[in-house]
Amino acid sequence: MTALTSLEADRAAALAAVEAAGRVDEAFLGRFDEQFPRLHGLFAHLYGDRPDGQEQLAETVASASTAWNARPLELKVRDAQRVADPDWFQSQRMLGGVCYVDRYAGNLEGVRDQIPYFRELGLTYLHLMPLFDAPAGDNDGGYAVSSYRRVNPSLGTMDQLAGLATDLRTAGISLVVDVIFNHTSNEHEWARKAVARDPEFEDFYLIFDDRETPDAFEQTTREIFPDDHRGSFVQLDDGRWIWSTFYHYQWDLNYANPAVFRAMAGEMLFLANQGVDVFRMDAVAFIWKRLGTACESLPEAHLLLQAFNAVIALGAPGIVFKSEAIVHPDEVVTYISPDECRLSYNPLQMALTWEALATRDGRLLQDALEHRHALPAGTAWVNYVRSHDDIGWTFADEDAAALGIDAFAHRQFLNRFYTGRHDGSFARGVAFQENPATGDARVTGTTASLAGVEAGDPAGEDRIMLAHGLALSTGGIPLLYLGDEVAQLNDYSYADDPDRCGDTRWVHRGNRPRDRYAERTDADTVAGRVFRRLTKLIAVRQQTPELAGNALVGFETPHASVVAFQRPAPETTVLVLANVGDAEVGIDPLTLSGFASEAVDLVEGIEVDLREGIALPAHGFVWLRVTPR
Ligand code: GLC
């Protein structure tokens, strides 16, 4: 075993490992010169005191070289295109969709059959929820992975996944899959060996003989799934305790061990060569632990992501990382940079859209757009109305306080509102992971059910449109939860399924609603109206270059219920005005006087005269092309 020594010696060791592993490719060598010093610096921080630091680094680099040699030519062509145009995902033509393979299409072949529909919708990005081998029965919707190299047999095979990736690429759709690298399932080979006390694999996880260390950690860690188990550890059959942030069958990997980094990098390189375009980096905040801290978003979590990014830049340079950090907004942004994750969910905009719909007050959302939307060049938000997960009220307490809002009480109100426990609520949601100790809870439900369609609220469809109108206009990649475009409702049958009844998120993960899809061309149905209006918005967005990228400037109106911002381009600007209130609002000519009077209502496709002001109906919004004076 050799520890890291100097950049030069470690570089020589890495090159020797690359040579020993097979052919040394010129293009790879060029990237090696660029990336190695960076990777080495990161390893020095993370693994400087480990006896096997040099060896693990060299082996990691060698596996990147091997993966590159095996990388299919068409993927190398794709890499070259993406490296030459690193802002490819900033286009206003980007539109994401997300679905479970089994629930939406049965299996991978079924997904392939949906490609014509995806094209009809305008998708350019498809996130297939975890599709790897996982324990039978309850497996957190696939987030408990038993092998990253095997597709869950009920969904298909790895060859089918690679074939699907090719077909999607031909259709102009990038494939996104989860890299669930914080934990494995308890059935993963590494986990089985760790339980069997194989010394190599015991150190892959965080296992303790007694409660002393777990108790010490739990002084400062947060409970993520308190319905499942309290604290951050679960007990093994032999009495030992193992770190388990999420479900008891999901065991956190020990990234303080460089062998874990090397092993996971190998899994990523393997997946990259199946034709995946974007890695959704799951649960990034949790990957490094240190006693006395919350064990979330520690500096080393960033170093690890950067190191994985450098490895992928060596072996599969076209791939982009997307961060899944559903944490405090100050922390969410720390994961977003060209050398870490270029893409990130925008949980703040998502949660505040729902907050605004409940309160009929747009100020928190307006404030977030003005102060928390900007991102570094070369990066973008993924903006969504809802996901497969719950809605957590992740806004910053201090942002709420600045508007005179008590954050704790407000979250309690929002939970009551969205679970239908508040008089007059239009929402039909269900509580998720209510924690009696902290009073904390989150909310589940489909967009249509949360927006009022299920409750028969006449404004339900307009709220669906308003929420999507925001997600489609604030920039980055808008991401549709497939089914929402036909106003899919909650599915309560999960409560009768023993594998699912313990997790209320299944209420919004129903099967593809065939009946609603069948109605999508019928304007007399909810599905038909929502589908028509939404596809129109998507088409308008595609034609509106101002909506590309992430630049956004707030726009002041005197109305608390109006969320307003500009998407500036060199000549023109798109002004978005959205009314979350229950009453019509008139935007007066003076407020609009900074723009030339001729403007275009992009959605209606008509010219408007700003000297007449703009009437925004309840839950209405406009996208106006205006020219600053
Ligand atoms: C992410 C997933 C969530 C899952 C968790 C554990 O937050 O989005 O569905 O439960 O990670 O893997």
Side-chain angles (χ1 to χ4, degrees), residues 37 50 72 81 91 101 109 127 159 174 229 289 304 312 331 375 384-385 421 427 451-453 465 480 488 531 561 594:
R50 292 283 302 205
Q81 289 164 350
S91 162
V101 173
E109 281 307 310
H127 173 200
D159 281 347
S174 297
H229 66 277
K289 324 322 193 199
L304 278 169
I312 290 300
E331 276 174 36
L375 287 180
Y384 59 114
V385 173
R421 298 175 197 162
V453 172
M465 295 315 302
L480 263 182
Q488 179 165 12
F531 187 78
S561 74

Side-chain angles (χ1 to χ4, degrees), residues 140 143 183 225 246 250 280 282 324 388-389 505 509:
D140 192 18
Y143 280 97
H183 44 265
F225 286 170
F246 297 92
Q250 287 162 308
R280 174 193 180 276
D282 186 61
E324 191 248 352
H388 70 287
D389 277 332
R505 291 175 298 178
R509 299 172 177 173

Side-chain angles (χ1 to χ4, degrees), residues 91-107:
S91 162
Q92 76 277 10
R93 297 190 168 273
M94 288 298 296
L95 175 70
V98 52
C99 65
Y100 285 89
V101 173
D102 55 343
R103 313 226 107 201
Y104 196 75
N107 53 30

Side-chain angles (χ1 to χ4, degrees), residues 205-219 221-223 228-236 240-248 250-252 289 291 295:
Y205 299 87
L206 294 124
I207 307 177
F208 301 95
D209 286 336
D210 55 39
R211 283 294 310 174
E212 192 184 333
T213 309
D215 283 342
F217 270 111
E218 285 176 1
Q219 297 292 314
T221 55
R222 191 160 66 101
E223 289 179 335
D228 182 70
H229 66 277
R230 307 307 306 263
S232 302
F233 292 80
V234 294
Q235 195 163 25
L236 298 176
R240 291 181 296 168
W241 293 86
I242 189 161
W243 198 302
S244 169
T245 298
F246 297 92
Y247 281 108
H248 59 278
Q250 287 162 308
W251 295 348
D252 291 46
K289 324 322 193 199
L291 201 60
C295 299

Side-chain angles (χ1 to χ4, degrees), residues 46 217 220-221 243 283-306 327 331 334-335 340:
L46 292 161
F217 270 111
T220 47
T221 55
W243 198 302
V284 293
F286 298 93
I287 56 179
W288 193 270
K289 324 322 193 199
R290 186 182 315 118
L291 201 60
T293 72
C295 299
E296 287 184 45
S297 291
L298 291 172
E300 289 84 352
H302 295 285
L303 304 183
L304 278 169
L305 279 165
Q306 289 164 28
V327 288
E331 276 174 36
T334 60
Y335 292 95
E340 209 164 315

